[in-house]
Amino acid sequence: MAYHRRLGLRLWQLERRVFCEHGTAKARTPVLGGVYYVVLITRSMSMASRKSLVCMMLLLLLASSCGDKSATSSTSPPSSTSPTTVPATAGVVWPAADGSVPYADPVEAAAGFATEFIGFTEPLVGEFQRGDSRSGEVEIRPTATGPVTTVLLRQVANDDSWWVLGAVTDAISPTAPARDSIVKSPVLLQGSSTAFEGTVDVAVRSRSTARPLAEGFVTGGSMGEVGPFDSTLEFANSATPDGAIVFSTSSMEDGRVWEATVVAVRFS
């Protein structure tokens, strides 16, 4: 009898050891040895002793569940969330970076940019002229016979919205700052132009509808003759990391914005 008791106890101990080390996936619950041991040992015990032993065995069986729980927790796959796609808007000057809703129509984007950012007054807005599958341009005129300012647009986000990259006009050709370059105060202004009395207005703007960070002018050629300009302009800190340098001329009759070149920049 003593031999069978030792055998049952040893069998239960071995089963529990394997169970706790490998979990339920690789071993059976250590019940067989325990039951075998209990059946043999309780034959020589009183009823009270049998009850105590059964309670002890139940507690041991509950404790053996630690292997199953640890194995389950260690193999649980880590939770993950899908990354948020952020529009790649580097080099964009419009719409404003203050929560404005992007434009679904490129013509509306060009019109909003011309009036709210450059400062045109009731301009004539042309049709959208497509470049490639995701870019194009829209011509803006102050009057029916006025000069053309071409607004450059592109779909830069992961949807069908339209964003303005800048604007160009034949009369104003800046060489500094370069498009999408990093600038700091004072900003270097170089290039060539022709305008009434040679004056080209300059505004440093953040990518917003707020007032310009600075306003000034450069002097190039006049009366149709193109001449160089070279100057600097100090400006205040920007609330947005990107913005633009706006070069524009004014009407000789009423001072309205006549044409413009807009260069996207980033602030250091």
Side-chain angles (χ1 to χ4, degrees), residues 85-176:
T85 302
V86 179
T89 57
V92 167
V93 297
W94 188 260
D98 56 3
S100 300
V101 178
Y103 293 88
D105 184 349
V107 175
E108 292 182 0
F113 170 69
T115 56
E116 298 182 51
F117 195 84
I118 299 178
F120 278 95
T121 303
E122 298 181 354
L124 301 178
V125 182
E127 296 181 355
F128 176 65
Q129 302 175 43
R130 185 173 294 278
D132 57 29
S133 61
R134 297 185 64 83
S135 67
E137 56 189 42
V138 175
E139 293 185 351
I140 303 290
R141 293 177 183 267
T143 64
T145 58
V148 173
T149 294
T150 303
V151 178
L152 310 175
L153 304 104
R154 187 167 184 81
Q155 293 175 311
V156 299
N158 58 344
D159 55 20
D160 294 329
S161 59
W162 288 93
W163 306 70
V164 175
L165 306 182
V168 295
T169 188
D170 292 339
I172 310 170
S173 301
T175 56

Side-chain angles (χ1 to χ4, degrees), residues 181-258:
S181 61
I182 298 176
V183 301
K184 61 181 180 179
S185 181
V187 60
L188 177 64
L189 307 172
Q190 292 179 329
S192 59
S193 63
T194 181
F196 175 65
E197 295 182 344
T199 301
V200 175
D201 297 318
V202 181
V204 180
R205 300 194 61 119
S206 60
R207 193 179 143 203
S208 69
T209 56
R211 293 179 59 83
L213 304 175
E215 293 179 294
F217 67 91
V218 293
T219 303
S222 63
M223 307 306 293
E225 292 187 7
V226 177
F229 60 81
D230 187 345
S231 184
T232 60
L233 181 61
E234 294 184 353
F235 59 90
N237 292 332
S238 174
T240 62
D242 45 9
I245 311 298
V246 180
F247 299 86
S248 63
T249 63
S250 302
S251 168
M252 294 183 294
E253 297 179 358
D254 55 15
R256 73 172 72 182
V257 174
W258 200 239

